[in-house]
Amino acid sequence: MIRILLVDDEQAARERLRQMLGPIPDLEIVGEAADGEEAVQKVVELRPDLLLLDIQMPGCSGLEVAACLPAPRPQIVFCTAFDQYAVDAFEMHAVDYLLKPVNRVRLARAIERVRHADSPGAGSEVERALQALRARNTRLLARYGDGYRVVPRQEVVYFLSDGGLTKLCTRERSYVLDPTLNDLEERLDPAFFFRVSRAAIVNLDCVTEVMPLAGGLAEVVLNTGLRLEVSRRRLKDLLERLAGQQPVHEGG
């Protein structure tokens, strides 16, 4: 049995998919979502096996939804009226890419590809592709209360490890994240984010001052007025990064 979540901002498109999926055996439609943020929340709640995912939607695109889904990640078949996204979709190892109006034959073929997908061998390749997309877009899935929000990179001021929780802090509020700071450090684009200590990662665009302290330590002052400690071994790299020097990546 394949459990399916339908994601499209048009109700008529979701209803059409329901009708075409009806005759196909061993399928269960477990839910629907009308935008990207709702899609992420429904994936977390319902744990579907497959997303039939539109690309152009309000809030965030289907590609961005795929990039911030937590593991274990469902299979994805993109359904869209626009063919210019095909390269990005297959870089993310989508099972299939259907152009609207979706027809029954192509949809049935996509479902068969899902049934026979060799997911164990593809897992690491999918993760590498998703990391590349995250580096370009950097939207983060954040929890608040019983809900979830996809937070764009531009809104992030800093990340903090506090009492065993990872917090994403914007100017307005803080959210809870599932990844650790170590995970975030690997995932975030180093052109925009820098780890100033074991407990904090800052958005470089939000740094207004660096204040040296005794003993080789320092503090960064953020545009919210908050001060965060900078460890000795990270201070030189921070100053170089703020001066516009690019980080050196291993392997080229």
Side-chain angles (χ1 to χ4, degrees):
M1 181 68 68
I2 299 175
R3 303 172 71 254
I4 300 175
L5 178 67
L6 306 179
V7 183
D8 198 298
D9 61 324
E10 297 181 1
Q11 183 175 351
R14 299 196 304 272
E15 184 58 36
R16 176 177 169 81
L17 287 172
R18 274 187 176 275
Q19 292 174 355
M20 288 191 293
L21 290 168
I24 302 176
D26 300 322
L27 300 181
E28 178 186 4
I29 299 174
V30 296
E32 299 184 6
D35 59 51
E37 292 186 7
E38 185 183 8
V40 173
Q41 185 164 344
K42 289 288 183 68
V43 168
V44 173
E45 292 174 355
L46 301 173
R47 297 294 182 186
D49 304 308
L50 171 64
L51 295 188
L52 294 182
L53 182 59
D54 190 14
I55 290 184
Q56 283 203 338
M57 297 183 293
C60 60
S61 73
L63 292 171
E64 290 167 335
V65 168
C68 67
L69 288 178
R73 189 172 293 107
Q75 301 274 24
I76 296 174
V77 172
F78 287 107
C79 304
T80 179
F82 303 94
D83 61 4
Q84 68 263 35
Y85 299 107
V87 172
D88 278 338
F90 284 113
E91 281 180 356
M92 298 174 69
H93 293 260
V95 176
D96 212 335
Y97 184 97
L98 307 180
L99 286 176
K100 295 178 179 179
V102 177
N103 67 63
R104 294 179 185 276
V105 174
R106 281 290 288 118
L107 181 59
R109 191 181 304 161
I111 297 298
E112 284 306 302
R113 293 186 67 179
V114 171
R115 293 191 198 279
H116 297 97
D118 185 16
S119 54
S124 60
E125 295 180 7
V126 171
E127 189 57 38
R128 284 196 293 272
L130 290 174
Q131 286 177 354
L133 187 68
R134 290 177 183 131
R136 295 203 303 270
N137 293 292
T138 315
R139 289 175 178 261
L140 297 116
L141 176 64
R143 287 188 278 133
Y144 64 103
D146 295 328
Y148 292 83
R149 184 181 171 222
V150 178
V151 181
R153 171 186 63 80
Q154 294 85 346
E155 293 186 18
V156 179
V157 178
Y158 66 100
F159 301 92
L160 188 67
S161 180
D162 180 22
L165 297 176
T166 304
K167 295 183 178 180
L168 180 159
C169 301
T170 68
R171 294 184 69 92
E172 290 78 26
R173 61 167 301 155
S174 64
Y175 303 86
V176 175
L177 297 178
D178 290 325
T180 65
L181 283 192
N182 288 340
D183 294 334
L184 287 171
E185 188 176 16
E186 293 182 4
R187 164 180 170 179
L188 295 168
D189 189 340
F192 297 102
F193 293 95
F194 184 85
R195 188 164 186 174
V196 294
S197 68
R198 293 180 63 184
I201 297 173
V202 300
N203 185 338
L204 292 170
D205 288 339
C206 297
V207 175
T208 59
E209 293 182 75
V210 179
M211 308 292 293
L213 301 175
L217 297 172
E219 287 182 335
V220 289
V221 182
L222 304 178
N223 57 9
T224 59
L226 181 72
R227 294 170 178 257
L228 294 172
E229 181 182 295
V230 182
S231 67
R232 291 184 190 86
R233 69 184 185 88
R234 301 175 193 269
L235 177 57
K236 180 175 180 290
D237 289 342
L238 173 63
L239 294 174
E240 289 177 351
R241 195 73 58 80
L242 290 170
Q245 298 184 34
Q246 295 299 311
V248 177
H249 297 279
E250 294 182 4

